């Protein structure tokens, strides 16, 4: 507290940074050549006031600041915008390390799912956890994400598949400051095995959606062989849209089952995965406003083909990168690792990767006005990297590259090293 008793935090000045790197311009989403344009300031400072960025510039232009200012020494470091993870399943209980071992021995993800394991194993653990258990689990996972540089995250329900647990997940995500997505249509729970998928969709629409729509910002569906078909997905998504939610789809993960045409027709915010997308899908996505969310950690961990990222960008599609953090297909909360995979497996440049997990991911969450850039007026969410060249974000695979994370103008995490 300041001597005047005013509890407003003092402005924070981060000075003498080797580089500040931020996606250029003001547009969102970025596509094509726009994804490669970075505003780079060398020997730079960033000033945060009242939770926002008030100035970003060159040290030689930094005048005297009136009043008390907290200073952070940025020597030897670079700064990028706080990372935005627009696709996670971070609200889960338990883990699936046993399944991981079975997959290492040759079992496939789809086989485990069909045998009642996979997603349904996490559903059992999540239903048992209770509200408090879920809150503790999400806070733990959110702290891992923060340490990896994620200052804004989305998280989905979809491990409850009953009214109370779906709503509990959405509440816990909202209360932790995340962007909640209603993924009731993730799998059909065992109690609907007899009556079937269509009856489960009707249950979601009638009994869960009215309350879910008050908690969530978007809805999502797993459109895939063995999960939900295109017509079931349409019924669910149309009802969710009518209830005021933005639309997302898990699509083209294992098969092309109509996710892209449906997403384009319904004006969805995104189609996520795309490991199986062919030429027609690439063209259709590029001609639309739907963002292709690429999840290379999931493709890597399931030993699946990587999504056609280069072709999507070259065709003019808007893409974002996310972790897909979940206990099954992607037990990885690190966007820096995802950026490394993007530059080595997806043939994206470091600049394209940065835009994809900052401004474009913020656009998917409808937060690009305030998140994803280091621009005066934006939220003061900043990642300080332990390297003078910001491209170490993607270069240092799995290394301690995130030095300090600033959220709303305050240091939220700093590496003890
Ligand atoms: O995005 N594919 C569907 N859902 C998640 C995985 C969820 C899980 O395995 O628990 C995904 O990969
Ligand atoms: Fe997912």
């Amino acid at each position: 507290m300041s001597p005047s008793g005013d509890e407003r935090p003092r402005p924070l000045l981060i000075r003498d940074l080797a580089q500040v790197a931020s996606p250029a311009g003001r547009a969102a989403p970025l596509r094509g050549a726009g994804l490669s344009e970075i505003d780079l300031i060398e020997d730079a400072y960033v000033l945060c006031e009242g939770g926002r960025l008030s100035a970003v510039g060159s040290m030689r232009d930094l005048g005297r600041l009136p009043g008390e200012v907290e200073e952070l020494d940025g020597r030897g470091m670079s700064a990028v915008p706080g990372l935005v993870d627009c696709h996670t399943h971070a609200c889960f209980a338990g883990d699936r390390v046993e399944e991981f071992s079975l997959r290492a021995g040759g079992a496939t993800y789809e086989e485990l799912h069909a045998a009642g394991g996979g997603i349904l194993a996490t559903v059992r653990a999540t239903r048992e956890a209770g509200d408090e258990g879920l809150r503790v689990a999400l806070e733990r996972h959110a702290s891992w994400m923060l340490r990896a540089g994620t200052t804004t995250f989305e998280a989905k329900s979809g491990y409850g598949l009953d009214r109370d647990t779906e709503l509990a997940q959405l509440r816990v995500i909202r209360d932790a400051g995340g962007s909640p997505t209603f993924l009731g249509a993730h799998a059909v729970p065992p109690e609907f095995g007899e009556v079937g998928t269509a009856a489960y969709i009707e249950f979601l629409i009638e009994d869960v959606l009215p309350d879910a729509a008050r908690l969530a910002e978007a809805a999502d569906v797993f459109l895939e062989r063995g999960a939900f078909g295109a017509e079931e997905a349409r019924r669910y998504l149309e009802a969710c849209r009518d209830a005021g939610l933005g639309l997302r789809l898990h699509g083209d993960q294992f098969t092309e089952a109509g996710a892209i045409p449906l997403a384009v027709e319904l004006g969805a915010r995104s189609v996520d995965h795309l490991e199986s997308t062919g030429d027609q899908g690439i063209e259709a996505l590029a001609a639309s406003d739907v963002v292709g969310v690429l999840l290379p950690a999931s493709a890597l961990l399931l030993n699946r083909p990587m999504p056609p990222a280069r072709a999507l960008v070259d065709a003019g599609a808007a893409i974002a990168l996310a972790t897909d953090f979940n206990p099954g297909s992607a037990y990885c909360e690190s966007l820096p690792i995802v950026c490394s995979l993007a530059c080595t497996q997806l043939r994206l440049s470091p600049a394209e990767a940065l835009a994809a997990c900052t401004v474009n991911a913020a656009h998917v969450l409808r937060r690009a006005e305030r998140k994803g850039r280091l621009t005066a007026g934006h939220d003061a969410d900043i990642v300080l990297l332990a390297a003078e060249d910001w491209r170490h974000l993607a270069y240092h695979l799995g290394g301690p590259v995130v030095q300090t994370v600033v959220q709303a103008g305050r240091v939220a995490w700093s590496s003890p090293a």
Side-chain angles (χ1 to χ4, degrees), residues 197-257:
T197 308
Y200 178 60
I201 295 276
E202 293 315 308
F203 157 77
L204 288 174
I205 293 171
E206 294 297 319
D207 290 21
V208 193
L209 178 59
D211 288 319
R214 279 191 274 276
L215 295 163
E217 298 180 13
D220 197 343
V221 56
F222 186 18
L223 172 40
E224 185 57 68
R225 171 180 70 193
F228 296 90
E231 282 319 305
E232 291 153 353
R234 175 198 299 282
R235 168 88 182 113
Y236 172 76
L237 291 174
E238 283 180 343
C240 290
R241 180 195 59 195
D242 294 347
L245 296 174
L247 304 183
R248 319 266 312 257
L249 292 88
H250 279 69
D252 295 3
Q253 183 179 9
F254 299 100
T255 55
E256 285 187 289

Side-chain angles (χ1 to χ4, degrees), residues 6 49 229 232 268 296 311 335 337:
D6 179 359
E49 289 180 87
E232 291 153 353
L335 280 169
I337 288 180

Side-chain angles (χ1 to χ4, degrees), residues 8-319:
R8 269 187 319 170
R10 285 182 298 172
L12 173 69
L13 173 68
I14 310 170
R15 55 179 303 147
D16 297 305
L17 286 156
Q19 291 182 339
V20 170
S22 174
R26 300 199 73 86
L30 295 172
R31 341 171 151 250
L35 276 165
S36 304
E37 284 165 29
I38 292 284
D39 279 337
L40 190 70
I41 310 174
E42 305 211 304
D43 191 17
Y45 75 90
V46 178
L47 182 63
C48 314
E49 289 180 87
R52 304 279 191 100
L53 296 165
S54 56
V56 181
S58 167
M59 281 304 291
R60 66 171 178 272
D61 299 328
L62 177 64
R64 259 181 58 84
L65 298 170
E68 271 186 72
V69 176
E70 191 182 328
E71 289 198 7
L72 207 67
D73 181 359
R75 275 178 298 178
M77 296 195 279
S78 51
V80 294
L83 306 178
V84 178
D85 199 340
C86 67
H87 182 139
T88 87
H89 305 252
C91 187
F92 62 86
D95 63 47
R96 305 225 295 271
V97 66
E98 190 54 41
E99 178 187 314
F100 177 74
S101 304
L102 291 172
R103 281 196 284 109
T108 72
Y109 181 80
E110 282 182 294
E111 281 164 9
L112 292 161
H113 182 67
I119 293 169
L120 292 175
T122 301
V123 169
R124 288 190 285 275
T126 302
R127 285 180 176 179
E128 275 167 22
D131 290 16
E132 182 56 15
L134 267 188
R135 189 187 62 74
V136 169
L138 178 60
E139 271 183 14
R140 179 160 181 252
H141 300 150
S143 77
W144 297 350
M145 293 194 272
L146 182 74
R147 275 183 262 170
T150 297
T151 52
T152 301
F153 72 90
E154 179 260 18
K156 302 171 196 297
S157 65
Y159 291 132
L161 312 184
D162 62 25
R163 184 187 144 78
D164 288 353
T165 319
E166 283 293 308
L167 296 177
Q169 281 195 281
L170 294 173
R171 231 177 279 116
V172 162
I173 295 162
R174 180 200 60 189
D175 293 349
S179 168
T181 298
F182 175 43
L183 178 58
H186 195 195
V188 179
E191 61 272 23
F192 278 84
E194 294 285 300
V195 284
T197 308
Y200 178 60
I201 295 276
E202 293 315 308
F203 157 77
L204 288 174
I205 293 171
E206 294 297 319
D207 290 21
V208 193
L209 178 59
D211 288 319
R214 279 191 274 276
L215 295 163
E217 298 180 13
D220 197 343
V221 56
F222 186 18
L223 172 40
E224 185 57 68
R225 171 180 70 193
F228 296 90
E231 282 319 305
E232 291 153 353
R234 175 198 299 282
R235 168 88 182 113
Y236 172 76
L237 291 174
E238 283 180 343
C240 290
R241 180 195 59 195
D242 294 347
L245 296 174
L247 304 183
R248 319 266 312 257
L249 292 88
H250 279 69
D252 295 3
Q253 183 179 9
F254 299 100
T255 55
E256 285 187 289
I260 291 179
L262 186 61
V264 172
E265 182 196 324
L266 297 181
R269 293 182 182 184
S270 71
V271 184
D272 308 39
H273 272 292
L274 306 177
E275 288 94 312
S276 303
T277 302
D279 291 348
Q280 269 192 338
I282 293 169
E283 237 173 79
L285 208 58
S288 78
D289 289 328
V290 181
V291 177
V293 177
L294 310 176
L295 311 165
S298 160
L300 180 77
L301 284 153
L302 293 187
N303 196 21
R304 299 277 310 150
M306 287 288 160
R310 191 70 258 155
L312 283 164
V313 173
D314 292 345
I319 55 134

